[in-house]
């Protein structure tokens, strides 16, 4: 057995499709790690029913790498998860930077016990497609990879269907998080994986926070040498799912149940618009996503899961008018929140 292989139960969990919240970073007023609230967040996601956690990713703030918090934050999540839950959990570590940095982070993550790495290509903006593929191959030798199509507004690189075909052919690639927030580019990923004949081996995850429920419900028909291939996006790895997680998991189960039916309930399809409306406020779409992390923090702060909305960068906070938008969606979509669930368990998570 290859020393980088995943335990069978975790591999199946990832392949079947699950809910992977992108884990935020709990800071105190001095912008230092708040261990108590960080641990509470991990416990919250597990008790809500998440299939695992993504840590050290965009929502955790890429800047943790600059303040020597990468390893401590990954360790804390892994230790908290292992002591809190006995079920199999998929632990995904965010990997960033140029090749040597990404390899070092992969080795750190494997050493802590993470099962896969979500590879951000934001550092590869100036690279050719060949160079990016070589980079991915090098990191895949260290850890099973989850590819990541990140939207350009927050640092993503535009990648072709041919890139995704080549990426899906890398044998240690197990999944792709599709998050370009763009239908055309989302289909480029699906077409690429299909062309690589890898749909049975590479599990598709949505990171399109503007289209969550539809991505998870709709069948996708692709054409491959004159044949129609039908596939599905099976799970989600989402910053949006760092908040109202218990409700999100109920939505995910509804999507999954509807997936192979001949008829999809109109009420489920219509719910997508309401979830997207919530996301517009949390993610600060009006200001090109400037306040996307602080917006999620604000929901968690209101519920008592965070003390404040501080980010590592003092300039990163809510945008003007974002608070009013958050107030609006919390009022209009109160039935999509999980405030009662959080209130019932908060003291236990903070203990």
């Amino acid at each position: 057995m290859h020393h980088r292989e995943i335990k069978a139960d975790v591999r199946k969990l990832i392949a079947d499709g699950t809910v992977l919240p992108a884990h935020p970073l709990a800071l105190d007023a001095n912008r230092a790690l708040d261990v108590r609230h960080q641990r509470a967040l991990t416990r919250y996601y597990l008790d809500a029913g998440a299939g695992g956690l993504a840590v050290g990713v965009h929502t955790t703030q890429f800047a943790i790498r600059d303040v020597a918090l990468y390893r401590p934050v990954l360790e804390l999540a892994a230790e908290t998860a292992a002591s809190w839950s006995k079920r199999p959990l998929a632990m995904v570590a965010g990997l960033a930077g140029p090749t040597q940095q990404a390899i070092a982070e992969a080795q750190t993550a494997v050493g802590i016990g993470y099962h896969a790495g979500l590879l951000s290509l934001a550092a590869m903006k100036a690279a050719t497609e060949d160079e990016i593929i070589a980079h991915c191959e090098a990191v895949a030798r260290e850890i099973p990879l989850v590819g990541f199509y990140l939207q350009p507004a927050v640092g993503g690189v535009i990648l072709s269907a041919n890139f995704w075909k080549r990426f899906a052919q890398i044998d240690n690639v197990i999944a792709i998080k599709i998050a370009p927030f763009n239908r055309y580019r989302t289909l480029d990923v699906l077409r690429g994986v299909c062309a690589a004949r890898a749909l049975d081996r590479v599990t598709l995850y949505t990171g399109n926070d503007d289209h969550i429920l539809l991505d998870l419900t709709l069948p996708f028909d692709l054409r491959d040498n004159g044949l129609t291939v039908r596939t599905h996006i099976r799970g989600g790895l989402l910053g949006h799912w760092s908040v109202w997680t218990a409700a999100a998991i109920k939505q995910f189960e509804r999507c999954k149940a509807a997936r192979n039916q001949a008829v999809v309930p109109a009420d489920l399809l219509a719910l997508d618009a309401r979830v997207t409306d919530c996301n517009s406020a949390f993610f600060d779409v009006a200001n090109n996503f400037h306040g996307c992390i602080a917006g999620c923090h604000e929901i968690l702060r209101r519920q008592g899961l965070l003390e404040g909305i501080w980010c590592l960068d003092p300039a990163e906070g809510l945008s003007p008018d974002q608070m009013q938008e958050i107030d609006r969606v919390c009022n209009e979509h109160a039935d999509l929140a999980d405030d009662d669930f959080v209130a019932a368990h908060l003291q236990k998570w903070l203990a």
Side-chain angles (χ1 to χ4, degrees):
M1 180 159 157
H2 192 246
H3 71 300
R4 297 285 183 255
E5 267 184 19
I6 310 182
K7 296 198 303 276
D9 52 358
V10 174
R11 183 77 193 82
K12 182 174 176 356
L13 181 65
I14 293 169
D16 287 347
T18 191
V19 169
L20 297 171
H23 205 308
L25 180 69
L27 296 174
D28 63 22
N30 299 315
R31 301 185 199 274
L33 179 62
D34 177 346
V35 171
R36 181 174 179 232
H37 286 86
Q38 187 73 4
R39 194 179 275 136
L41 285 173
T42 302
R43 292 167 171 175
Y44 161 49
Y45 300 134
L46 298 183
D47 282 359
L53 299 166
V55 188
V57 295
H58 176 252
T59 304
T60 325
Q61 299 176 55
F62 287 133
I64 56 172
R65 292 155 175 86
D66 306 330
V67 292
L69 280 178
Y70 182 77
R71 178 189 286 275
V73 166
L74 261 65
E75 284 178 341
L76 184 58
E79 288 162 8
T80 303
S83 62
W84 195 255
S85 174
K86 293 302 163 237
R87 61 191 168 87
L89 295 168
M91 299 296 288
V92 179
L95 310 176
T99 306
Q100 290 318 118
Q101 179 186 333
I103 285 174
E105 290 184 2
Q107 290 168 342
T108 296
V110 167
I112 296 169
Y114 281 73
H115 304 108
L118 180 71
L119 186 60
S120 168
L121 299 174
M124 308 298 287
K125 274 204 178 47
T128 65
E129 190 170 287
D130 286 347
E131 288 167 339
I132 299 176
I133 289 292
H135 169 78
C136 295
E137 286 171 342
V139 182
R141 286 193 276 275
E142 306 298 329
I143 195 169
L145 275 197
V146 179
F148 186 12
Y149 201 171
L150 174 65
Q151 58 149 335
V154 290
V157 181
I158 294 172
L159 300 158
S160 69
N162 189 59
F163 169 84
W164 291 109
K165 176 183 177 179
R166 293 176 67 188
F167 180 81
Q169 287 168 334
I170 299 171
D171 68 359
N172 210 20
V173 166
I174 60 166
I176 298 172
K177 169 179 168 159
I178 307 170
F181 288 37
N182 177 306
R183 287 294 96 194
Y184 304 109
R185 293 176 190 157
T186 294
L187 291 175
D188 284 342
V189 180
L190 272 67
R191 288 197 304 117
V193 179
C194 182
R197 305 282 167 91
L199 284 166
D200 56 341
R201 184 174 59 78
V202 176
T203 311
L204 303 173
Y205 275 71
T206 184
N208 287 320
D209 303 69
D210 62 343
H211 209 263
I212 299 169
L213 299 195
L214 291 177
D215 270 359
L216 290 169
T217 302
L218 298 178
F220 292 85
D221 274 357
L222 306 164
R223 297 288 284 174
D224 183 34
N225 283 340
L227 298 171
T228 299
V229 179
R230 179 161 294 186
T231 195
H232 286 90
I233 294 175
R234 298 194 179 278
L237 197 172
L238 293 147
H240 182 92
W241 282 352
S242 68
V243 304
W244 294 357
T245 313
I249 289 167
K250 291 195 177 76
Q251 293 161 10
F252 172 75
E253 294 300 340
R254 285 177 65 187
C255 294
K256 209 168 173 178
R259 207 172 279 166
N260 290 305
Q261 308 299 320
V263 179
V264 179
D267 286 349
L268 177 58
L269 296 176
L271 185 58
D272 178 83
R274 295 182 61 207
V275 172
T276 301
D277 190 33
C278 293
N279 182 263
S280 73
F282 303 166
F283 269 48
D284 192 26
V285 173
N287 298 285
N288 212 26
F289 305 93
H290 169 81
C292 61
I293 294 175
C296 293
H297 287 180
E298 173 60 17
I299 298 298
L300 298 168
R301 185 197 65 76
R302 293 178 183 203
Q303 294 180 319
L305 281 157
L306 289 179
E307 287 279 68
I309 65 166
W310 305 287
C311 294
L312 288 168
D313 177 356
E316 201 174 324
L318 297 177
S319 291
D321 304 331
Q322 190 181 358
M323 192 70 91
Q324 290 91 309
E325 272 294 284
I326 291 173
D327 287 340
R328 177 185 69 79
V329 300
C330 286
N331 182 42
E332 290 178 7
H333 304 292
D335 57 314
L336 303 184
D338 65 356
D339 296 349
D340 294 344
F341 173 75
V342 174
H345 300 283
L346 183 61
Q347 291 318 310
K348 175 180 76 178
W349 298 332
L350 287 168

